[in-house]
């Protein structure tokens, strides 16, 4: 006979279709407003009849078909907030239940309710919208820290369900790891390796959570959470903030690209950088002016004693123009340590390196690394330029390719000059585009690295995936600010970063290095995230309370304070901008 799960009962069945709500002057599309319904409802593989989710990237789908929350947690939050006006569905759940506590229910437990059969698949992924629904902005953090997240069900057998039904646990989940245990293992500090390994092997755990635990296992054992953010998957920066360096040499690589060879002021070698990483440069363009910061990929061989950056002169680029036309050898600058996740893997699969224009710099460092290893990996070098006068590193690349026995070269000139010789200087007339990729026999098993203009990278990525390369094996690097991620927010035209409206602040300066913007801190902003949004600096976020690490960004220099304190601190050299404020002058990799 089936066992009753501690006399569990379905108290309310709640549904609701997504709608738009106003929030902080923006429109949020959300399905978090659920209301109880009477009578039976058909539960299907993806949903309950009459229900829907507003953000299918974070909610819904076969592994998150039904959300469950417990009356005991209702009582807990009523005491915590001093409220007594809760209604069923208040936490965005489909099933309000008596029993089924998060520290008792296990991943893989199978529950029979009415005609349907369910399996516990994962804890709730908290986001800011449950805070909107409850009028408690910090609730996403509290759900985790109080160990009361709730959980999702996948539907094993469709059927009708109605409030008042008894809930029977017909099977205990393999591995016997509770919802609260799994939730804390990912979000809270102290990721015990043995427990993470157990969690990663749970057959019923949803694939996204398995991937997060696998990332923790593969990442370095240090502060940070590799299961939530790529910033934690690489070694921390080699030194904090900026250090003094000297320009040892200035070399013009083409009509518009100059390379700067940088050495330490005391003559010691730089710490080795990983192939593909970037550094942040800080300098003063004129006496008495505030410093400016810019980030540039390293183009030097990984492991070299000095660093080389290569900068293209942009038409209206004040900093790039100064570096190309005015900077001389012997000048002292400030440099932050190498960082970034766009790095060459150490496997044996084929490698495809694709670039356009100055996008060659990080993949050139990768090519140096490949030539130095002496391995026989198959390497494809595909590059697009206007002509030979705008083709930096041509001789250097050819020398490196000649050292690789399984190398392939495809150079595309969109407008070759009269002195450019086919076969020697270039291989294809025209832009490096989708048709060029399709004309090659590119291996589907390759690890692929793309750098160049945003539209170019999107086209190349799509073409590689169409050719059979796994999307997870296609990596891109963006020179400017990265793409924003604002779940549920209605799309709006993207504006260039700018000084925020209103009176200037009087606090410490905040520099968004990728966006080329420095502004003084204003006390009316609750966080660095709010300042970035006011400046239209692209950001990524979800919970807005220091839980999910979606907002984690590089803290190039300076210190911050947190309010609220994150449930798990970010990696060394990183910051959670959603709950941080500057303690002194800071530079962010945004």
């Amino acid at each position: 006979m089936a066992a009753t799960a501690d006399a569990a009962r379905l108290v309310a069945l709640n549904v609701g279709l997504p709608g738009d709500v106003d929030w902080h002057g923006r429109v949020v599309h959300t399905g978090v407003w659920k209301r109880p319904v009477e009578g039976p409802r058909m539960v299907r593989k993806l949903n309950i009849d009459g229900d829907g989710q507003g953000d299918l990237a974070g909610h819904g789908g076969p592994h998150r078909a039904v959300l469950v929350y417990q009356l005991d947690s209702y009582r807990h939050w009523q005491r915590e907030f001093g409220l007594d006006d809760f209604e069923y569905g208040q936490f965005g759940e489909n099933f309000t239940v008596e029993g089924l506590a998060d520290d008792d229910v296990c991943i893989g437990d199978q529950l029979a309710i009415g005609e349907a059969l369910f399996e516990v698949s994962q804890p709730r992924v908290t986001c800011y919208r449950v805070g909107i629904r409850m009028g408690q902005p910090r609730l996403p953090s509290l759900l985790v820290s109080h160990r009361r997240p709730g959980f999702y069900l996948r539907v094993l057998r469709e059927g009708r369900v109605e409030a008042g039904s008894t809930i029977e646990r017909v099977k205990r989940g393999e591995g016997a790891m509770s919802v609260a245990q799994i939730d804390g293992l990912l979000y809270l500090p102290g990721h015990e390796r043995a427990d993470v390994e157990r969690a990663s092997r749970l057959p019923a755990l949803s694939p996204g959570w398995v991937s997060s635990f696998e990332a923790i296992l593969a990442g370095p054992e240090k502060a940070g959470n590799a299961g939530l953010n790529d910033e934690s998957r690489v070694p921390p920066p080699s030194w904090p903030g900026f250090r003094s360096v000297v320009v040892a040499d200035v070399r013009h690589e083409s009509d518009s690209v100059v390379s700067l060879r940088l050495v330490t002021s005391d003559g010691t070698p730089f710490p080795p950088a990983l192939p593909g990483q970037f550094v942040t440069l800080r300098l003063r363009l004129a006496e008495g002016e505030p410093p400016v910061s810019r980030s540039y990929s390293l183009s030097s061989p990984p492991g070299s004693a000095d660093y080389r950056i290569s900068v293209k002169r942009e038409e209206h680029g004040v900093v790039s123009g100064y570096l190309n036309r005015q900077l001389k050898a012997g000048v002292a600058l400030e440099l932050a340590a190498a960082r970034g996740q766009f790095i060459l893997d150490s496997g044996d699969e084929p490698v495809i390196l694709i670039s356009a224009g100055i996008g060659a710099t990080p993949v050139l460092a990768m090519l140096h690394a490949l030539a130095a290893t002496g391995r026989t990996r198959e390497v494809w070098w595909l590059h697009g330029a206007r002509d030979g006068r705008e083709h930096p590193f041509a001789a250097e690349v050819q020398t490196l390719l000649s050292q690789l026995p399984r190398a392939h070269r495809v150079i595309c000139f969109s407008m070759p000059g009269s002195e450019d010789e086919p076969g020697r200087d270039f291989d294809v007339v025209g832009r490096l585009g989708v048709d060029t990729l399709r004309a090659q026999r590119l291996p589907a098993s390759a690890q692929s690295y793309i750098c160049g203009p945003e539209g170019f990278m999107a086209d190349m990525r799509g073409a590689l995936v169409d050719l059979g390369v796994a999307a997870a094996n296609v990596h891109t690097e963006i020179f400017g600010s990265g793409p924003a991620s604002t779940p549920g927010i209605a799309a709006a035209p993207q504006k260039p970063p700018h000084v925020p409206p209103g009176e200037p602040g009087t606090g410490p300066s905040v520099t968004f290095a990728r966006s080329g913007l420095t502004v003084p801190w204003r006390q009316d902003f609750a966080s660095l995230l709010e300042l970035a949004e006011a400046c239209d600096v692209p950001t990524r976020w979800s919970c807005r309370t220091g839980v999910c690490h979606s907002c984690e960004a590089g803290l190039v220099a300076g210190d911050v304070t947190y309010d609220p304190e994150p449930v798990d601190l970010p990696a060394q050299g990183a910051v959670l901008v959603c709950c941080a404020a500057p303690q002194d002058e800071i530079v962010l990799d945004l």
Side-chain angles (χ1 to χ4, degrees):
M1 183 175 177
T4 301
D6 300 326
R9 182 171 61 91
L10 178 58
V11 176
L13 191 159
N14 315 296
V15 300
L17 295 175
D20 293 337
V21 297
D22 292 328
W23 173 76
H24 291 187
R26 289 178 281 187
V27 176
V28 178
H29 189 65
T30 177
V32 74
W33 265 262
K34 308 294 185 188
R35 307 292 183 194
V37 293
E38 296 182 359
R41 286 289 174 109
M42 187 69 182
V43 179
R44 307 184 191 276
K45 291 290 185 181
L46 298 180
N47 226 319
I48 302 172
D49 283 358
D51 191 49
Q53 293 84 23
D55 174 23
L56 292 179
H59 306 277
H63 305 292
R64 298 173 299 206
V66 177
L67 179 60
V68 177
Y69 209 56
Q70 307 90 347
L71 276 184
D72 183 61
S73 289
Y74 267 71
R75 299 176 187 116
H76 172 84
W77 297 118
Q78 284 177 321
R79 293 189 298 269
E80 186 74 17
F81 298 139
L83 300 174
D84 59 5
D85 58 349
F86 285 179
E87 59 184 22
Y88 297 141
Q90 186 89 33
F91 293 84
E93 79 276 12
N94 300 113
F95 289 171
T96 310
V97 300
E98 186 73 77
L100 299 183
D102 289 333
D103 59 2
D104 174 61
V105 170
C106 293
I107 302 298
D109 280 3
Q110 292 185 8
L111 307 174
I113 311 174
E115 299 174 348
L117 180 65
F118 304 89
E119 184 175 57
V120 179
S121 56
Q122 66 170 70
R124 174 212 298 263
V125 177
T126 58
C127 74
Y128 72 107
R129 281 161 288 203
V130 68
I132 296 176
R133 174 69 178 88
M134 291 291 298
Q136 301 287 342
R138 296 188 177 184
L139 185 61
S141 173
L142 297 175
L143 289 172
V144 173
S145 60
H146 287 228
R147 311 301 294 269
R148 294 177 178 274
F151 55 89
Y152 279 106
L153 302 173
R154 65 170 59 89
V155 180
L156 301 182
R157 183 179 67 235
E158 296 181 346
R160 289 173 297 178
V161 172
E162 64 180 309
S165 300
T166 298
I167 301 174
E168 295 179 301
R169 180 159 49 204
V170 299
K171 180 181 178 181
R172 196 60 153 156
E174 182 179 330
M177 297 188 76
S178 73
V179 167
Q181 184 180 6
I182 291 294
D183 192 64
L185 194 59
L186 179 60
Y187 288 117
L188 297 176
H191 315 283
E192 292 293 336
R193 189 173 185 86
D195 290 336
V196 174
E197 289 177 344
R198 282 180 60 206
S200 70
R201 296 193 297 268
L202 293 177
L205 187 62
S206 64
W209 282 68
V210 171
S211 296
S212 293
F213 288 131
E214 289 175 343
I216 292 175
L217 295 172
E221 294 186 16
K222 60 181 181 67
N225 195 326
L228 296 175
N229 190 280
D230 290 342
E231 194 80 30
S232 302
R233 302 185 190 186
V234 295
S238 299
W239 67 84
F242 289 91
R243 63 184 293 183
S244 178
V245 300
V246 177
V247 180
D249 183 48
V250 179
R251 175 180 174 177
H252 287 272
E253 306 284 0
S254 70
D255 283 1
S256 62
V257 175
V258 65
S259 286
L260 311 178
R261 185 168 64 88
L262 308 174
V263 297
T264 61
S265 56
D266 59 6
T268 58
F270 279 114
L274 297 173
Q277 288 192 306
F278 66 89
V279 293
T280 301
L281 198 67
R282 185 164 71 180
L283 68 158
R284 294 182 188 273
L285 300 179
E287 191 69 29
E289 291 189 5
V292 294
S293 301
R294 296 292 189 273
S295 296
Y296 301 103
S297 294
L298 290 167
S299 57
S300 49
S304 58
D306 49 22
Y307 284 171
R308 180 181 69 177
I309 62 172
S310 303
V311 183
K312 180 183 178 182
R313 184 181 69 251
E314 302 293 345
E315 183 177 356
H316 301 292
V318 176
V319 177
S320 66
Y322 172 83
L323 296 177
N324 270 262
R325 293 170 175 158
Q326 296 178 247
L327 190 66
K328 306 296 182 183
V331 172
L333 304 170
E334 291 183 297
L335 192 74
R339 61 175 67 230
Q341 300 90 41
F342 185 70
I343 54 178
L344 179 69
D345 78 295
S346 57
D348 295 316
E349 301 92 346
V351 177
I352 301 173
L353 305 175
I354 301 175
S355 58
I358 195 59
T361 51
V363 292
L364 175 60
M366 295 180 184
L367 188 62
H368 271 287
L370 290 164
T373 60
R375 295 185 182 180
T376 57
R377 293 179 79 171
E378 185 178 8
V379 178
W380 288 77
W381 175 269
L382 299 99
H383 179 74
R386 178 185 174 89
D387 54 27
R389 293 170 61 87
E390 293 293 341
H391 184 201
F393 320 115
E396 184 176 343
V397 166
Q398 194 55 43
T399 298
L400 294 171
L401 291 174
S402 68
Q403 299 170 20
L404 294 165
R406 301 180 66 195
H408 309 267
R409 187 196 83 164
V410 181
I411 304 294
C412 300
F413 282 179
S414 59
M415 297 182 66
S418 57
E419 68 280 13
D420 295 328
E421 183 178 328
R424 182 195 69 183
D425 301 310
F426 68 98
D427 306 296
V428 176
V429 176
R431 295 183 181 275
L432 174 54
V434 174
D435 291 341
T436 306
L437 259 62
R438 290 173 177 162
Q440 315 306 315
R441 292 185 175 181
L442 299 175
S445 59
Q447 292 284 342
S448 305
Y449 303 87
I450 312 170
C451 189
E454 189 172 344
F456 167 82
M457 290 193 294
D459 290 344
M460 296 295 98
R461 178 182 179 85
L464 288 173
V465 172
D466 288 345
L467 292 170
V469 179
N473 294 339
V474 181
H475 316 278
T476 57
E477 175 70 316
I478 299 174
F479 283 123
S481 54
S485 176
T486 55
I489 301 295
Q494 186 172 345
K495 303 176 183 178
H498 56 82
V499 173
E503 291 294 321
T506 59
S509 66
V510 177
T511 295
F512 300 103
R514 285 182 180 258
S515 301
L517 179 67
T518 298
V519 296
W521 173 251
R522 269 185 10 207
Q523 295 296 331
D524 57 322
F525 290 115
S527 66
L528 289 167
L529 173 58
E530 288 193 6
L531 173 62
E533 290 174 328
C535 297
D536 283 306
V537 170
T539 54
R540 301 177 62 83
W541 52 266
S542 180
C543 74
R544 301 182 73 95
T545 58
V547 178
C548 70
H549 287 237
S550 296
C551 72
E552 188 170 329
L555 180 61
V556 179
D559 292 306
V560 300
T561 58
Y562 284 111
D563 184 22
E565 192 73 18
V567 295
D568 191 9
L569 288 171
Q572 180 182 337
V575 59
L576 300 181
V577 298
C578 75
C579 54
Q583 188 171 313
D584 51 21
E585 294 185 358
I586 65 170
V587 178
L588 300 172
D589 181 35
L590 285 173

